Amino acid sequence: MLKVGYKILFYGAVVLLAAIVLMPFLWMLISSLKTQVDIVAWPPKFVFSPTFQNYYKVFGEQDFIRYFINSTVVAAFAVGVSLLLGLPAAYSIARFSQRRLALVILLARLMPGISFLMPWYIIFSRLGLMDTYVALVLSHVLITLPIVVWIMSSYFETIPIELEESAMVDGASRNYIFLRIILPLSGPGIITATTLAFIFSWNNFLFSQVLSMERTRTLPIAVFNFLSYADIDWGGVMAASVAIMAPALVLTMIFQRYVVSGLTMGAVKG
Amino acid sequence: MRTILKFGLTVALGLSLSGGALAQTKEIRVLLANHPYGDILKAEIPQFEKQSGIKVNVESLQESQLTTKLTTEFATNSSSVDVFMTRPLQDGKLFAKNKWYEPLAGYDFSDYPANTVSIVTYDGKPNIVPLVTEWQVLFYRKDLLAAAGIKVPTNFDELAAAAEKLNTGGVAGFASRGKGAAAVTQLSSYIYNFGGQYLDKGVAVFDSKEAVDGFRYYGKIVGSYGPRGVTSMSWENILPLFQAGRVAMWTDASVFYGQLTDPAKTSLGADKIGIANFPAGPKTNSPFYATSWGIAIASQSKKKDLAKTFLEWATSKELAAKAMGANITMARTSVWEDPAVVAKVDPGLVETRAFVAKNGYPTDRPFMSAVGEARDLIGEIVIESINTKGESPQIGDMAKDRVAKVNTLLRNTGEYGQ
């Protein structure tokens, strides 16, 4: 009897917490299917005739497909560059205890992003890189690289050094060990780092705001297309937000298992 | 590793070359705001391109993004913007001080009200062409006032009495912005009507008895009869409340009238929505009549001739008349005098505009470069006043303290006493 009571309590708490966390998301989803009049209605309407006009506005009237492509290209390249540079860096930091180097990389992340904007703007505009993917990718690397380096360096530390030593005895070089032994063992860590870095880049507002223009506009900036002077199209904002969240959500759902184990693996080293 | 780096650099260079397409000779870059008039321009630009042979690269941004972007581009002296929409009261002083506007010699300003031109004139030369004006009005629910047997308030005493009577459980008797800095513009007309001001000849004066009376009155009616949580509300919050039928009266800018009477946005029915002149205060009735948007040429532009051609077209009488049909309240005088144009505009807007065109005050905020900081400082007094329903004994002292701080801001930018 007592056991049943506990179970009820447990699942009750689960439902309550889930409701609190999911409420804003559900509200957004519901609002994205409402007309402007229904959105502001009081008391809130839970029974209404759903409309897809907001989604039509997002994908038909506004060019969200293009913003989608922009965001994907920028995030993918930023993560790619970060992995290319960050994985060897993280390995080196882990194996040779280059703590100071790790700190410098973190420092870039700790500095307020806005302090980079002016110098970047000057450099990119002089180089004629404004409104190109290059400027955006390079700026987003500042966000993604520290994530990759920090997650991966603590992950590499959990891999027993004996593995490398025995490979060395067999005559393997550092590069060979890194590429053939360490990387294949680091799948969960790399997936964690990639997912997190991708989401951070996907959601970045500040850098894209100044460095992108009409052609390279990314999704978080495009949401503001629905905010006009003294007029907010709530339905459009909600539909756009749903559309932006969806890929990040799917990505997280698929890789969630690895994300959690990857994070804890780095955190608790035996 | 080296090959990887080399590859990366080559890719980067390749992308940059393909991306940074060389500008054609007859091409300009225009930044517009997300604004109904910006939408009209955007729709008409293909026409302009055909007529003039000038290619227009247009980008439209939400207003705060627009300011951030323009500031970054101009401050780094590497902007490629030729023409841009701008908010004369919010950005004007700072931009003009930094000489980011190209003075508009030769533009014909005779069709614009003198007070709109005075606000965009620096060193004797107009810098911005005024596009859109707005003024403070009283929105009210005709049905609720009629049911309570109340006439539309014409002065502050009647306003307070009506708000008290209309304030019932589900419906707030009155609403106006309560969120600190955002409230400053809507508080301005209250202070003016009590005989006060924010600034007088470059000196902060909102600690005068008249201004403090304004703060107190605003705190009293908003605090006593406003919706719950009003101190965190700007128009974004009050507008949907009014649209949902939960507010009986609301003072804010005329720009919202179009949304209130649009059945796609407000389900109450246009016949229930009233618009009236802002109520008179003890001293005067001089609500703000502000130039909310203008358009200007960038001083850093390398194609000023083309930019000027575009500006002349974008501010033409024909486009202004077209915008009026969409209830955009344009600055040009002639469109308001043309019966054919006025016939298409909502009568409520025509009547209230006729009043402010004669009696209005040309700014709705402290008109200075550090306007954002000043609004934050004044906003603190607004919140204190609303929280105490205008009773706080500290309001006078707070006003003195904030006046000193705003004067410091003015001194820092060399605008004090100007």
Side-chain angles (χ1 to χ4, degrees), chain A residues 166-186:
Chain A
S166 62
M168 270 181 195
V169 169
D170 287 340
S173 67
R174 274 272 172 218
N175 286 348
Y176 187 89
I177 292 171
F178 176 65
L179 291 173
R180 293 295 162 85
I181 298 175
I182 300 297
L183 283 190
L185 284 174
S186 311

Side-chain angles (χ1 to χ4, degrees), chain A residues 229-251:
Chain A
Y229 179 73
D231 189 2
I232 298 176
D233 182 354
W234 290 111
V237 172
M238 296 297 169
S241 305
V242 171
I244 290 172
M245 262 186 80
L249 205 67
V250 170
L251 201 68

Side-chain angles (χ1 to χ4, degrees), chain B residues 27-42:
Chain B
E27 193 171 329
I28 56 169
R29 180 167 168 231
V30 176
L31 282 195
L32 300 176
N34 288 350
H35 183 285
Y37 193 71
D39 296 341
I40 289 185
L41 286 182
K42 244 176 140 174

Side-chain angles (χ1 to χ4, degrees), chain A residues 215-237:
Chain A
R215 283 192 308 158
T216 49
R217 189 175 285 193
T218 59
L219 287 168
I221 313 298
V223 177
F224 280 77
N225 292 359
F226 294 102
L227 301 173
S228 181
Y229 179 73
D231 189 2
I232 298 176
D233 182 354
W234 290 111
V237 172

